[in-house]
Every structure is written in structure tokens, then in C-alpha cells.
Amino acid sequence: MSTAHFRTAAISCVLFPFLFLASAHAQAVGPFKDDLFSAQRAIETGDGGDFTIIDYDEMRDINGRDSIPERRVKDRYVSLKVRRVQENQTLNLATGPIEVGRVGLDQGQAFTVIFIHGRGGDRRLGLNDISFGGNFNRLKNLAAENGGTYYTPSVRSFDEKGVADVAALVAYASAQSAGKPVVLACASMGSFICWGISRDPATVAKLSGMAILGGAPDPALFQSAAAKAKLPIWFTHGSRDSVYAAADQLAIYRKLRGAGQPIRFTLFETGSHGTPVRMSDWRALLNWLIR
């Protein structure tokens, strides 16, 4: 072997494991119906791609996707085979029993996603296959097909008790997977759970990232344990959200980004409060947040 060939081989041996890990990270969550869910047109991008405005159109993205608008998605958007690995459980955690829907492995999972519903919801919302444009069905399939687990708990309250319950669920999920990545996603009023968790260093240490879908702004997030730990956070929001103003959430994003936080923001132009639950690209979210 020539000196040049030896040097090339030696460098390859050193770099190959890192290249493999980078490739594995890029494909942590493989595709599922990407042609239907990920083909979203960006009308503006900024911050090196971290900030994106997506073209959202109600006639196309609701009436065109649903056989019964806002009630039943067209069949091609879903695969109900995932129900074979879905079950309801009552987990007896450190804070007491909590009802969850679980999709995928019970232990040894490659990653875990926990979705927190908003006011008036329960675990059934996050298991709904045919409403919300089939977006929860896609999330379920992404978890199941990639060796992951998806939990959607019934949150009893959005105060410190609810935060404690979810912190216990995060600890349980981390233990079941032997420390593999855990992503916490909170929608609407459920964001108060994420903000409570963000102040708990022990739970933040068990998380890989957070997704906030149409959530409330938290002016104190800048000083939280999550901010100090540089926990990745991805916001998705509707520009016409009448519950939590997009401008207020954007101000939080700008402040955190200015402080060097790994953070992203997707704004659905003309979207309402419920648009992020329907339109957020779960595969993109997970592949960025699973680190």
C-alpha cells in the first residue's frame, strides 16, 4: 500500500464512524406520505432557514384534503394499520396514575414523542386518525415505523400538578428507552406544560427538544433552565391566531435566537389557532429535534 493510500485509509477509519452517525441522524425518522404532508411551499425564509413563512390556503389545505371539511380526511392521507401497535394504558408514575395513549414500542424505543393537548382535550385528541387532516395519524406512523414510541396523555390540569405529571412521564419514557431522545410537543394551552417543564433542570436534561404548536408566549423562557441548556425549540404558529398573537411568539423567538438558542419558527400565512396542529410537518420537526 502506498503512503497516500495508507493515509487515505487511516483518515477513513477515523472519519467513518462520525460520517455514519451524521447520516443516521439525518435519517432518524424516515419518510411517511411526504408527498402529501411535506410538500409545503415557503413564501419567505430567513435566519439561515430557521424562520419560514409557509403558504397556507384553507380551500386547498382543508377543503381539498378532507372528504368532510374539518371532520374526516380523505383516505389516502392515512394508514390505519398503525392501530395494531396502539393501546390505552394507565401508568402508575411517581406523581400517581396517568392515562396515556401509546403507539409503538413499550421499551427499547429509538426515540419518544410526547404530545400535550390543549384545553378541553384528552388522550383521544392525539390519537385521532381522521380529523386534523390526518396529521396525528402521520405522527403515529412515523413513530411506529422508525422504532419510536408516541405517548399522548390526558393532562388533568395545566398548573404545577400537570407539569409534575408530565415530568414524571418524561422520566418514565427516558428510563424505558435507556436514555434515548425524548421530544415534548405542546399545543395551544398545553404550552403551559412545556413552559413549566422548561423551568425544571432535571427534566430538561432528559429532553432532546420541544415543539410548540400555536402556544402561548412565555416572556420568562429566556431565563429558564431550557434556555440555559440550549434546548432546541421549534415554534409553529398561524399568522391570524386570535388566541395567542403570532407577533408575541415571534418576539420570544427573536430574543432566544439572539442569545444563541437553537430555535426555529414556522409561520403559516393566514393560518388560525388550530392550523399548526393540522399543518406542522412532524417528520421535519422530529428530525431536527432528535439530537
Side-chain angles (χ1 to χ4, degrees), residues 15 57 82 119 121 139 163 176 180 196 218 220 222 240 260 270 276:
L15 290 181
D57 180 80
V82 73
R119 183 173 62 182
L139 174 56
V163 171
Q176 291 296 101
K180 296 292 178 58
D218 177 17
F222 182 73
R240 296 181 181 174
T270 75

Side-chain angles (χ1 to χ4, degrees), residues 8 17 41 50 52 84 93 97 110 164 175 183 220 226 239 259 279:
T8 300
R41 186 174 73 90
D50 289 338
T52 308
R84 299 172 184 172
L93 305 179
V183 171
S239 70
M279 296 298 297

Side-chain angles (χ1 to χ4, degrees), residues 218-240:
D218 177 17
L221 183 60
F222 182 73
Q223 300 172 318
S224 68
K228 293 175 182 176
K230 303 296 185 185
L231 182 73
I233 301 174
W234 193 328
F235 296 98
T236 65
H237 217 91
S239 70
R240 296 181 181 174

Side-chain angles (χ1 to χ4, degrees), residues 9-258:
I11 292 172
S12 297
C13 288
V14 171
L15 290 181
F16 180 77
F18 298 99
L19 294 173
F20 176 80
L21 287 172
S23 175
H25 169 71
Q27 298 297 321
V29 179
F32 180 81
K33 296 184 182 288
D34 283 22
D35 57 325
L36 298 175
F37 289 92
S38 297
Q40 300 179 352
R41 186 174 73 90
I43 57 178
E44 182 180 331
T45 60
D47 297 338
D50 289 338
F51 174 75
T52 308
I53 300 178
I54 297 295
D55 174 36
Y56 170 75
D57 180 80
E58 184 175 324
M59 291 299 294
R60 178 191 64 219
D61 296 317
I62 294 182
N63 292 19
R65 184 185 293 191
D66 292 354
S67 57
I68 305 175
E70 298 189 82
R71 294 181 60 188
R72 186 176 187 89
V73 71
K74 293 177 180 177
D75 290 346
R76 70 175 181 273
Y77 285 85
V78 301
S79 173
L80 300 182
K81 293 179 181 179
V82 73
R83 291 180 177 176
R84 299 172 184 172
V85 292
Q86 172 180 313
E87 64 176 286
N88 290 326
Q89 291 179 288
T90 299
L91 299 178
N92 293 307
L93 305 179
T95 56
I98 183 172
E99 294 183 344
V100 303
R102 193 199 82 236
V103 179
L105 300 171
D106 189 39
Q107 60 182 357
Q109 51 266 50
F111 63 90
T112 302
V113 187
I114 300 173
F115 174 79
I116 307 299
H117 58 78
R119 183 173 62 182
D122 58 27
R123 63 183 174 186
R124 292 174 295 181
L125 186 146
L127 294 174
N128 192 316
D129 289 298
I130 62 174
S131 296
F132 308 105
N135 215 18
F136 283 119
N137 178 263
R138 187 187 189 216
L139 174 56
K140 290 160 61 174
N141 276 282
L142 286 171
E145 290 193 0
N146 290 280
T149 296
Y150 170 52
Y151 287 112
T152 174
S154 292
V155 178
R156 293 179 288 185
S157 64
F158 298 97
D159 56 13
E160 63 276 5
K161 294 180 180 178
V163 171
D165 284 342
V166 174
L169 179 57
V170 170
Y172 172 84
S174 181
Q176 291 296 101
S177 68
K180 296 292 178 58
V182 179
V183 171
L184 181 61
C186 300
S188 186
M189 194 173 182
S191 60
F192 289 108
I193 298 295
C194 269
W195 303 148
I197 292 293
S198 77
R199 289 154 173 72
D200 177 5
T203 304
V204 166
K206 294 180 176 67
L207 290 177
S208 177
M210 284 185 179
I212 310 297
L213 288 65
D218 177 17
L221 183 60
F222 182 73
Q223 300 172 318
S224 68
K228 293 175 182 176
K230 303 296 185 185
L231 182 73
I233 301 174
W234 193 328
F235 296 98
T236 65
H237 217 91
S239 70
R240 296 181 181 174
D241 190 326
S242 60
V243 180
Y244 303 120
D248 294 340
Q249 198 68 285
L250 269 167
I252 304 297
Y253 162 80
R254 294 295 183 199
K255 188 171 184 178
L256 288 168
R257 181 174 176 81

